[in-house]
Amino acid sequence: MDTTRERVCEATEHVRAHTHHEPSIGLILGSGLGTLAARLVDPDIIPYDEIPHFPQSTVAGHSGRLVIGTLAGAQVLMMRGRVHYYEGYSTAQIGFPVRVMQQLGVETLCVTNAAGSLRPDWAPGDLMAIKDHLNVPGLTGHHPLRGPNDETFGPRFPSMSSAYDPNLLAVLRREADEQGVTLKEGIYVMVSGPSFETPAEVRFLRSTGADVVGMSTVPEVVVARHGGMRVLGISLISNVAVDSLRETSTETTHQEVLEVGEKTAPILASLIEGVVARLA
Ligand code: HPA
């Protein structure tokens, strides 16, 4: 197995040896959402390719390094870049960095992603707090916890009934309110990618009750919950998913996803910083 305790501990030891911080909050940032890293005070920067067994990201726009430092009075560990299922990693491998966070003593995980809206009335640049998810790869067998269970990480059959922590969500709502940021709330459905959805798939996913669709986040959240961490998730709407064959002019591109991410990043960054300040 790629994610055994031994491997996790080797990676954790490397991180411990290269930082003087003891982070209690983990941040995983999605496409184009990296600007927050620059706000960390006294940062220790650890490239993924120097950490034993750490998955390496291969996508343009996802540079790979841990940035560990102080943000708004709290010690945080930020993943600058993440790996995805469509790159060829298993969902368990995607969860490996979260296991390292768990070993480091991280108790709160905040994940962000870029997502396509399944709701035609939402627009690029909107932010959505994730209230729940649909784990399509997991439901079809690609579950990050499939295989032997290490009880020292968490239970064999972990609950996912409140995967996204209601108290953290309340903190986020208050912070958004104070900053005058409109926050949508809804359900994130994970698909494997890398192709964007066909119009028929968009209509199918909408019929499941999901509000947005993306290609990340869920494996990390499942592993974090298995390990007893509490989770906050935010989606940045980068595009409205195309649900009709006639709308060829509005085809979704990776470039569009990155551009909207970069434009909305400052708003999302100050939201997260505000939440972290309230937790510190
Ligand atoms: N579909 C899937 N993943 C995505 C999308 C989308 O439309 N936008 C950003 N990530």
Side-chain angles (χ1 to χ4, degrees):
M1 288 292 286
D2 296 316
T3 55
T4 56
R5 165 160 290 277
E6 197 182 327
R7 288 180 179 222
V8 170
C9 288
E10 279 175 30
T12 306
E13 282 321 306
H14 179 90
V15 175
R16 276 215 187 96
H18 290 83
T19 184
H20 60 294
H21 296 291
E22 289 182 9
S24 61
I25 299 174
L27 301 169
I28 304 179
L29 304 174
S31 309
L33 307 182
T35 56
L36 196 59
R39 302 216 201 180
L40 262 64
V41 177
D42 191 20
D44 295 317
I45 297 172
I46 309 173
Y48 293 170
D49 59 10
E50 293 175 7
I51 307 173
H53 318 299
F54 218 75
Q56 310 295 317
S57 66
T58 61
V59 199
H62 295 266
S63 55
R65 55 199 183 273
L66 294 183
V67 185
I68 309 174
T70 305
L71 181 71
Q75 308 222 13
V76 306
L77 176 152
M78 186 178 295
M79 283 185 72
R80 191 78 170 76
R82 56 144 65 106
V83 299
H84 300 80
Y85 186 72
Y86 59 74
E87 293 174 72
Y89 291 103
S90 70
T91 50
Q93 286 173 309
I94 296 166
F96 184 89
V98 177
R99 285 286 183 236
V100 174
M101 291 187 203
Q102 183 186 349
Q103 290 304 108
L104 287 168
V106 169
E107 291 167 340
T108 303
L109 179 68
C110 175
V111 283
T112 74
N113 56 55
S117 176
L118 297 166
R119 301 176 61 131
D121 54 325
W122 291 2
D126 283 352
L127 295 173
M128 186 197 86
I130 304 176
K131 288 213 296 193
D132 201 352
H133 71 222
L134 256 167
N135 182 0
V136 170
L139 292 173
T140 54
H142 302 268
H143 197 286
L145 304 177
R146 181 171 175 268
N149 185 59
D150 184 337
E151 289 285 332
T152 64
F153 285 138
R156 170 77 288 186
F157 299 106
S159 168
M160 290 293 144
S161 62
S162 48
Y164 299 84
D165 189 83
N167 296 320
L168 288 176
L169 184 58
V171 170
L172 175 65
R173 280 194 199 111
R174 278 202 296 279
E175 186 58 31
D177 203 40
E178 193 158 289
Q179 293 192 21
V181 173
T182 305
L183 191 65
K184 311 274 201 265
E185 295 185 13
I187 296 171
Y188 177 94
V189 57
M190 181 198 174
V191 294
S192 78
S195 57
F196 289 112
E197 296 68 38
T198 64
E201 286 164 348
V202 169
R203 295 191 298 271
F204 165 70
L205 293 172
R206 183 183 294 143
S207 78
T208 66
D211 299 288
V212 299
V213 55
M215 306 174 191
S216 68
T217 301
V218 167
E220 294 99 315
V221 170
V222 169
V223 170
R225 292 300 299 143
H226 180 247
M229 292 160 71
R230 50 185 200 156
V231 175
L232 178 70
I234 308 173
S235 289
L236 188 163
I237 311 297
S238 57
N239 58 285
V240 176
V242 178
D243 68 355
S244 147
L245 290 173
R246 284 188 297 276
E247 288 182 59
T248 45
S249 59
T250 56
E251 216 168 62
T252 301
T253 64
H254 184 56
Q255 192 54 30
E256 175 188 12
V257 171
L258 291 178
E259 278 170 17
V260 175
E262 263 151 35
K263 251 200 305 203
T264 316
I267 298 167
L268 183 51
S270 68
L271 253 192
I272 292 171
E273 194 167 354
V275 168
V276 168
R278 286 172 189 266
L279 300 179

